[in-house]
Amino acid sequence: MDIKEIRLEDLDVTAFIEEQVAAIREAVGQGQAVNALSGGVDSSVVTLLGHRALGDQLKTAFVDNGLMRQDEPQYIQRIFADFGVPVEIVDAQDQFFAALRGVVDPEAKRDQGITKVFYKDVFGQLVRDCGAKVLLQGTNYTDVEETVAGIKRQHNILEQLGIDTQAAYGYTVLEPIIQLRKPAVRAVGKALGLPEELYARPPFPGPALAARVIGEVTPERVALVRAATLIVEEELRDSSAFQYMAILHEDRVTGLRDGKRDFGYQIEVRCWDSTDAVTAAPTNLPFEKLRCIAERVTQEVPGVVSVTYNIAAKPPSCIEAV
Amino acid sequence: MDIKEIRLEDLDVTAFIEEQVAAIREAVGQGQAVNALSGGVDSSVVTLLGHRALGDQLKTAFVDNGLMRQDEPQYIQRIFADFGVPVEIVDAQDQFFAALRGVVDPEAKRDQGITKVFYKDVFGQLVRDCGAKVLLQGTNYTDVEETVAGIKRQHNILEQLGIDTQAAYGYTVLEPIIQLRKPAVRAVGKALGLPEELYARPPFPGPALAARVIGEVTPERVALVRAATLIVEEELRDSSAFQYMAILHEDRVTGLRDGKRDFGYQIEVRCWDSTDAVTAAPTNLPFEKLRCIAERVTQEVPGVVSVTYNIAAKPPSCIEAV
């Protein structure tokens, strides 16, 4: 790996922004660039860097893959409108769900289900349509490390895997924050004027809620984990944890509803203390908070009879289940 | 349901023991009775009642179904030897695992996998061999309620389901503690002189570790949950909780071992506060204890990369997962 990390303590935020803006301008020249905004802190920072560098030469798209949080596309579009950044919402839900049908292996989900549809189908089409030569993307340093180590294939890491994206998908990928870990990315986001609700947002995986559904990813199962995610994020927003999430298990367990047997779903809650996602420990949440989350999830998410809290550290666990 | 509960506060332990001993004597007469001892508090109490009533007329068997805790058959045999109760260990591991092969539905596990093998094959054979007319068994009041309510088929509840066991399996089932819930059973056990490690033992399900393996029950998967059970029971012995257990999930999750991806197992820990098993709440354990359990399980049980703690109450959860 010949990419060198810039540590938070070594980061000159102003200089970094100027350098990346200049680098983006140079790479794009007079052409067009396309930018994939997911609403996470990484792609939000890249969007503002790209906007500062390119203005109208940048086309920012939010791909609605059907795997996002509740009302996410509209929420993100609204926030970036305040920066003068127009965000086009691309409805690709059917394409993603079609590619994910019957796929249960985690790597196959990420690879076939997410990477191929995202790059080749949806983004390839967008780039061809607008004549852009360059795609900006929010790959960060931890993504690189994990992919190189063979832990988890990140959806945005084709270059690092030695795949020639120009030949494979018809465009070039620029990754302005690839030398930064999350805390450094947040510092850049803050300096760029991102609202705290975005730059301090917990990390959200590239494959989105598909990474939080064990087993087959269907619209119905994503709806369940989306509803649970809403509850978990509401309840843990003030926890100051690094990341928190709801996971829908494929296993079903025996439950009891209205005095009758109910063979139902289980939701797993994870909440992590971490600074860099390389190692992480479960957060020591007040037990009353855990009880409250479990009660809300079993009452508000249809068919859920059981809720668990992850208590293992990374390693040997990972932050996401899939 | 025409069985009437005797509440702990209404229980005259001495009178209850005398009545049950007399009832057992009357039912068995000069014949032989067979007794199924599993090592749980229910069957341990029934064994001592039967021994007091029948002496040598009682044959006590411990069916080793391959689904028990670590070293359980020998441990139980040793304890009852101190009471002068000979316990025959019946090795039926192959029969149970053969019946459980490929079975994943929880009710099918209990019904085909456990009930049929236990009653018809193993116990039926034992009864025929020794000429016994009567089988003593430790069904309690909560078992009856849950079966009648359709929540969970208890393995020992044929009579209550309207099955004529005389015709179906060739013998009659006597259930001396069917009017008692767990606290009352413990009180009787204490009065009978059972050691505290038995009468205060957390409840253990009839289908044993098969109730704690989600998905197919194989010798390999039982070995994993058995190892995790040993750790959880060691760590929570002093918790004064009502019941605690380890459950092996069928779902696998992404983990990380020696810097490499390890798609591994997940163990769920449950620990319940309850008095009667009808309702139950997860125990507020010290977080340090949860972390310690997770660390031991991921280090000591091969292939486990993730551990969770159940945080949902019963209802809508149940105490056991299967």
Side-chain angles (χ1 to χ4, degrees):
Chain A
M1 170 175 15
D2 53 0
I3 294 160
K4 195 174 166 334
E5 182 189 356
I6 305 174
R7 291 176 183 277
L8 180 59
E9 58 268 30
D10 301 328
L11 177 69
D12 177 337
V13 174
T14 312
F16 177 85
I17 292 173
E18 281 173 18
E19 281 162 26
Q20 293 306 321
V21 165
I24 294 169
R25 279 196 188 128
E26 193 186 324
V28 178
Q30 297 304 309
Q32 279 274 322
V34 172
N35 175 47
L37 172 61
S38 75
V41 59
D42 295 335
S43 69
S44 294
V45 164
V46 167
T47 297
L48 291 188
L49 288 172
H51 179 68
R52 191 172 284 199
L54 303 173
D56 289 348
Q57 287 172 269
L58 177 68
K59 179 185 179 68
T60 294
F62 182 102
V63 175
D64 184 357
N65 53 18
L67 306 169
M68 295 290 174
R69 294 177 176 104
Q70 188 79 44
D71 302 324
E72 181 81 1
Q74 295 72 27
Y75 168 72
I76 295 301
Q77 195 178 43
R78 220 160 42 231
I79 285 187
F80 281 86
D82 294 343
F83 286 90
V85 181
V87 175
E88 182 191 348
I89 297 174
V90 180
D91 183 353
Q93 300 188 49
D94 292 347
Q95 281 165 281
F96 279 93
F97 281 120
L100 288 164
R101 194 169 299 141
V103 181
V104 296
D105 177 75
E107 292 297 276
K109 272 188 206 172
R110 285 175 179 260
D111 194 24
Q112 293 159 231
I114 308 290
T115 311
K116 290 222 174 70
V117 175
F118 185 83
Y119 283 93
K120 201 152 186 179
D121 302 347
V122 181
F123 248 75
Q125 188 61 46
L126 213 74
V127 172
R128 285 191 296 276
D129 288 355
C130 72
K133 296 271 183 291
V134 180
L135 167 64
L136 299 191
Q137 210 181 336
T139 318
N140 68 30
Y141 193 74
T142 306
D143 296 336
V144 176
E145 276 192 327
E146 294 209 331
T147 301
V148 170
I151 297 159
K152 202 176 266 189
R153 177 189 299 267
Q154 295 295 338
H155 78 294
N156 51 4
I157 206 78
L158 300 167
E159 296 262 349
Q160 275 59 45
L161 286 169
I163 297 170
D164 178 352
T165 53
Q166 180 70 38
Y169 301 118
Y171 51 86
T172 300
V173 180
L174 270 192
E175 296 168 317
I177 59 165
I178 198 160
Q179 293 176 273
L180 309 183
R181 290 188 199 272
K182 205 63 88 178
V185 179
R186 294 194 204 286
V188 174
K190 187 174 180 182
L192 286 166
L194 265 187
E196 185 173 358
E197 60 189 291
L198 274 202
Y199 77 70
R201 218 170 187 195
F204 197 68
L209 296 176
R212 296 174 179 175
V213 169
I214 296 179
E216 189 183 6
V217 179
T218 64
E220 296 72 26
R221 304 194 73 217
V222 170
L224 293 176
V225 83
R226 179 180 288 128
T229 298
L230 192 62
I231 295 167
V232 169
E233 294 194 343
E234 271 178 26
E235 293 293 334
L236 298 181
R237 183 167 298 140
D238 299 328
S239 66
S240 73
F242 177 74
Q243 192 168 357
Y244 33 86
M245 66 191 74
I247 296 157
L248 175 64
H249 284 198
E250 187 167 28
D251 288 342
R252 287 194 297 156
V253 295
T254 302
L256 180 61
R257 188 86 67 172
D258 302 325
K260 293 230 177 301
R261 179 174 190 271
D262 183 3
F263 191 49
Y265 299 114
Q266 184 173 74
I267 290 283
E268 176 184 345
V269 177
R270 295 185 178 193
C271 181
W272 297 104
D273 292 338
S274 179
T275 52
D276 55 11
V278 174
T279 62
T283 306
N284 181 358
L285 293 171
F287 199 70
E288 209 30 70
K289 176 57 82 178
L290 293 175
R291 258 201 285 249
C292 164
I293 291 172
E295 195 176 322
R296 284 196 60 193
V297 170
T298 54
Q299 281 176 3
E300 298 173 29
V301 185
V304 175
V305 298
S306 174
V307 182
T308 62
Y309 184 61
N310 180 280
I311 55 174
K314 173 182 181 182
S317 185
C318 277
I319 287 182
E320 302 282 348
V322 171
Chain B
M1 167 175 21
D2 55 359
I3 293 160
K4 195 173 165 336
E5 182 189 357
I6 305 174
R7 293 175 181 279
L8 180 59
E9 58 267 32
D10 301 328
L11 177 69
D12 177 337
V13 174
T14 313
F16 177 85
I17 292 171
E18 283 175 14
E19 281 163 26
Q20 293 305 323
V21 165
I24 294 167
R25 279 195 187 128
E26 194 186 324
V28 177
Q30 297 305 309
Q32 279 274 322
V34 172
N35 176 47
L37 173 61
S38 74
V41 59
D42 296 335
S43 70
S44 293
V45 164
V46 167
T47 297
L48 290 189
L49 288 172
H51 179 67
R52 191 172 287 201
L54 304 172
D56 290 347
Q57 287 173 266
L58 178 68
K59 179 185 179 67
T60 294
F62 183 100
V63 176
D64 184 358
N65 53 19
L67 307 170
M68 295 290 174
R69 294 178 176 101
Q70 188 77 45
D71 302 324
E72 181 80 1
Q74 296 70 27
Y75 168 73
I76 295 300
Q77 194 177 45
R78 219 160 43 232
I79 286 189
F80 281 86
D82 294 342
F83 286 91
V85 181
V87 175
E88 181 191 348
I89 297 174
V90 180
D91 183 354
Q93 299 188 48
D94 292 348
Q95 282 166 280
F96 279 92
F97 282 120
L100 287 165
R101 195 169 298 141
V103 180
V104 296
D105 177 76
E107 292 298 276
K109 272 188 205 172
R110 285 174 180 262
D111 194 25
Q112 293 160 231
I114 308 291
T115 311
K116 289 220 175 71
V117 175
F118 185 83
Y119 283 93
K120 201 151 184 180
D121 301 346
V122 182
F123 248 75
Q125 188 61 44
L126 214 73
V127 173
R128 283 191 296 277
D129 287 355
C130 72
K133 295 272 184 290
V134 179
L135 167 63
L136 298 190
Q137 211 181 332
T139 317
N140 68 31
Y141 193 74
T142 306
D143 296 335
V144 176
E145 276 191 328
E146 294 209 332
T147 302
V148 171
I151 298 159
K152 201 176 267 189
R153 178 189 298 267
Q154 294 295 339
H155 77 292
N156 50 5
I157 205 77
L158 300 165
E159 295 264 349
Q160 275 58 45
L161 287 171
I163 296 170
D164 178 351
T165 54
Q166 181 69 39
Y169 300 117
Y171 51 86
T172 300
V173 180
L174 270 191
E175 295 167 318
I177 58 165
I178 200 162
Q179 294 176 274
L180 308 183
R181 290 188 199 273
K182 205 63 88 177
V185 178
R186 294 195 203 286
V188 174
K190 187 174 181 181
L192 286 166
L194 264 187
E196 185 172 358
E197 60 188 291
L198 273 201
Y199 76 71
R201 217 171 188 195
F204 197 68
L209 296 176
R212 296 175 179 174
V213 169
I214 296 179
E216 190 181 7
V217 179
T218 63
E220 296 74 26
R221 305 195 73 218
V222 170
L224 293 177
V225 82
R226 179 181 288 127
T229 299
L230 192 62
I231 294 167
V232 168
E233 293 193 343
E234 271 177 28
E235 293 293 334
L236 297 182
R237 183 169 297 140
D238 299 328
S239 66
S240 75
F242 177 74
Q243 193 168 356
Y244 33 87
M245 65 191 75
I247 295 157
L248 175 63
H249 284 196
E250 187 168 27
D251 287 342
R252 288 194 296 156
V253 294
T254 302
L256 179 61
R257 189 85 67 173
D258 302 325
K260 293 231 176 301
R261 179 174 190 270
D262 183 3
F263 191 50
Y265 300 114
Q266 184 172 73
I267 289 282
E268 176 183 345
V269 177
R270 295 185 177 192
C271 181
W272 296 104
D273 292 338
S274 179
T275 52
D276 56 10
V278 174
T279 61
T283 305
N284 181 358
L285 293 171
F287 199 70
E288 209 29 70
K289 177 57 83 178
L290 293 175
R291 258 200 286 249
C292 164
I293 291 173
E295 194 176 322
R296 286 196 58 192
V297 170
T298 53
Q299 281 176 3
E300 298 173 30
V301 185
V304 175
V305 297
S306 173
V307 182
T308 62
Y309 184 61
N310 180 281
I311 55 173
K314 172 182 180 181
S317 186
C318 277
I319 286 181
E320 301 282 350
V322 171

